[in-house]
Amino acid sequence: MARNPFIAGNWKMNMTVPEGTALVTALIEEKDDITPVEVGVCPPATALYAIGKLLQEKGSAIKLGAQDVFGDGTGAFTGMLSIPMLVDCGCQYVILGHSERRGRFGTTPDWLTSPLQALFADSNESVNLKASIVMRSPLTPIICVGETIDERKAGKTDDVVRSQVEAALQGLDKGRLGEVVLAYEPVWAIGTGETCDSAEAQRVCQLIRNTVAAIDTAAAGAMRIQYGGSVKADNAEELLGQPDIDGALVGGASLKAADFAAIVRAAKVTAG
Ligand code: PGA
């Protein structure tokens, strides 16, 4: 089954509104025909509304995503964002369970003290809960999974990834399961410049697809599986050329229009 590649930029805690506006304006100005590649940007919460409005005003096909969500409805949850708030900003996607929110960093930045890290602590259970509410909304989740370096060294990669996928998808509506985007992001490759080699990334992405197939075969055929972890213009084509890698979740290289656009072009080349 043909799956349209999906390249999403995760800006993390970067970009003020003017900076993000300049970045997206530059991306829109890259006038190449990128069909059939789908492109998304995931700004920080403070820039979602402005970037959503800009994309709408320019009639751009670039999709808007948020980096996390707390819940549905309204309530006394200081500092948190709800699904209706994200929809209101024009979001179509939301990242869930990024390793930086699962509270299981490979290396902890100096400024991030452990009590603060614990507050982030998304678990397999909370990711599943968030996925189930997102799937009942107009948003589509991009669910991140991936092993730490210690888990890889202990030979636990397959078990960790399989159990994260099974837990995240547990009980989701099978009718929409194929719309979910899964991102395989080995924690040791995120922001380190160390990329998982393409054969190993393909092997794990295939394992992810097989895990989904055990739940629902049609969903496994339709589901886009991204690779994330130090994706750059010079390694994108090789990674995206793998049969079970249908896109990329890009951190650092999504912050410069030329770098991100080059990754999008690589996705177009590999899509044929
Ligand atoms: P990176 O981040 O591209 O900077 O490694 C990827 C991610 O965390 O999604």
Side-chain angles (χ1 to χ4, degrees):
M1 164 181 263
R3 295 177 292 264
N4 291 348
F6 181 28
I7 308 295
N10 175 10
W11 295 0
K12 307 191 180 183
M13 196 173 72
N14 295 288
M15 297 282 157
T16 60
V17 170
E19 288 167 349
T21 301
L23 173 59
V24 168
T25 304
L27 282 176
I28 293 171
E29 277 164 11
E30 299 263 346
K31 292 211 190 304
D32 303 353
D33 174 14
I34 52 153
T35 330
V37 184
E38 185 178 354
V39 178
V41 291
C42 303
T46 47
L48 282 175
Y49 182 74
I51 301 295
K53 199 155 169 273
L54 175 67
L55 292 172
Q56 193 191 29
E57 280 167 5
K58 300 273 185 191
S60 172
I62 296 174
K63 306 284 171 56
L64 187 70
Q67 298 177 12
D68 193 22
V69 69
F70 179 68
D72 211 354
T74 56
F77 301 105
T78 303
M80 295 301 169
L81 299 175
S82 72
I83 288 175
M85 291 169 186
L86 302 185
V87 172
D88 193 33
C89 290
C91 289
Q92 286 125 312
Y93 287 97
V94 58
I95 298 172
L96 298 180
H98 191 283
S99 60
E100 288 154 17
R101 296 214 61 94
R102 286 184 189 250
R104 48 202 289 287
F105 289 86
T107 50
T108 306
D110 293 343
W111 57 268
L112 191 61
T113 58
S114 51
L116 186 53
Q117 188 175 356
L119 284 181
F120 285 3
D122 249 334
S123 62
N124 279 345
E125 292 69 30
S126 69
V127 171
N128 177 242
L129 195 59
K130 289 178 180 186
S132 65
I133 58 168
V134 167
M135 293 302 281
R136 291 196 298 268
S137 82
L139 299 177
T140 301
I142 301 172
I143 303 176
C144 303
V145 298
E147 79 288 357
T148 62
I149 191 63
D150 290 345
E151 289 162 343
R152 172 160 285 268
K153 282 184 181 155
K156 293 185 186 157
T157 299
D158 294 13
D159 284 348
V160 167
V161 170
R162 198 183 293 111
S163 59
Q164 286 176 341
V165 171
E166 284 170 351
L169 303 183
Q170 170 84 33
L172 300 190
D173 173 12
K174 287 196 181 162
R176 283 194 66 197
L177 197 58
E179 296 168 30
V180 172
V181 179
L182 284 177
Y184 170 53
E185 298 210 309
V187 179
W188 48 272
I190 295 176
T192 58
E194 200 174 326
T195 324
C196 184
D197 81 59
S198 56
E200 177 61 6
Q202 159 59 24
R203 190 191 70 76
V204 180
C205 288
Q206 187 176 38
L207 172 113
I208 291 172
R209 199 174 305 283
N210 291 343
T211 306
V212 179
I215 304 168
D216 190 273
T217 325
M223 184 177 283
R224 269 100 53 93
I225 301 177
Q226 298 173 319
Y227 167 80
S230 298
V231 176
K232 298 190 175 56
D234 59 7
N235 60 22
E237 205 170 310
E238 166 142 17
L239 286 159
L240 295 167
Q242 304 302 314
D244 285 296
I245 301 181
D246 310 310
L249 186 55
V250 186
S254 72
L255 301 176
K256 287 202 177 119
D259 295 352
F260 191 58
I263 295 169
V264 172
R265 280 195 295 273
K268 182 173 167 70
V269 170
T270 55

